[in-house]
């Protein structure tokens, strides 16, 4: 079992950057596939980035490809989402999620979720 806590959200102007962190409890962090999701007001929660256990492979949704970077540091039990060139349409609650099996490029219903962190991008 793993518990996830996101941090790093906030308010930023369009074109700016933020880095989200996802810190996990437990000693088996490296055994989980990790991903980031986001949910804008009135919309469904979308899978936007995934990373393998080792961090060697990553996946990005088209909406964030080239602007966002997912990474992880297994020694620190932490995953990151570096968000650059932010747009107002990136405004959402961002969630970190983990699953023990499955694919890093299609995370449908991860078992473990963080509480979410709000990101607001103003124009």
């Amino acid at each position: 079992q793993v518990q996830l806590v996101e941090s790093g959200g906030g308010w930023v102007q369009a074109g700016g950057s933020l880095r989200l962190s996802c810190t996990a409890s437990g000693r088996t962090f490296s055994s989980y596939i990790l991903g980031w999701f986001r949910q804008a007001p009135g919309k469904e929660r979308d899978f936007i980035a995934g990373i393998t256990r080792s961090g060697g492979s990553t996946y990005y949704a088209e909406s964030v490809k080239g602007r966002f970077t997912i990474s992880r540091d297994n020694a620190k039990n932490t995953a990151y989402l570096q968000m650059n060139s932010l747009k107002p349409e990136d405004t959402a609650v961002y969630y970190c999620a983990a699953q023990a099996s499955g694919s890093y490029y299609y995370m449908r219903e991860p078992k473990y979720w963080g509480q979410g962190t709000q990101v607001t991008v103003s124009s």
Side-chain angles (χ1 to χ4, degrees), residues 100-119:
S101 61
S103 63
Y104 68 97
Y105 51 85
Y106 184 65
M107 295 180 70
R108 185 174 181 183
E109 293 182 353
K111 185 174 182 179
Y112 304 105
W113 293 88
Q115 82 288 352
T117 186
Q118 176 71 46
V119 172

Side-chain angles (χ1 to χ4, degrees), residues 32-50:
Y32 290 92
I33 296 165
L34 300 176
W36 286 93
F37 291 70
R38 68 184 182 186
Q39 186 168 22
K43 296 187 177 180
E44 294 185 351
R45 187 155 53 185
D46 292 329
F47 173 50
I48 60 170

Side-chain angles (χ1 to χ4, degrees), residues 19-123:
R19 188 177 80 157
L20 305 182
S21 298
C22 172
T23 302
S25 62
R27 295 182 290 179
T28 59
F29 179 75
S30 61
S31 66
Y32 290 92
I33 296 165
L34 300 176
W36 286 93
F37 291 70
R38 68 184 182 186
Q39 186 168 22
K43 296 187 177 180
E44 294 185 351
R45 187 155 53 185
D46 292 329
F47 173 50
I48 60 170
I51 191 166
T52 55
R53 296 174 182 86
S54 67
S57 295
T58 56
Y59 163 84
Y60 299 96
E62 285 299 321
S63 58
V64 305
K65 191 176 293 183
R67 301 187 297 123
F68 290 12
T69 302
I70 186 173
S71 61
R72 65 190 296 167
D73 185 338
N74 287 338
K76 296 182 178 180
N77 278 15
T78 302
Y80 305 95
L81 186 68
Q82 177 66 44
M83 305 186 296
N84 299 328
S85 301
L86 283 161
K87 306 174 182 179
E89 51 264 44
D90 293 318
T91 295
V93 177
Y94 284 71
Y95 298 90
C96 175
Q99 60 189 31
S101 61
S103 63
Y104 68 97
Y105 51 85
Y106 184 65
M107 295 180 70
R108 185 174 181 183
E109 293 182 353
K111 185 174 182 179
Y112 304 105
W113 293 88
Q115 82 288 352
T117 186
Q118 176 71 46
V119 172
T120 303
V121 184
S122 65
S123 57

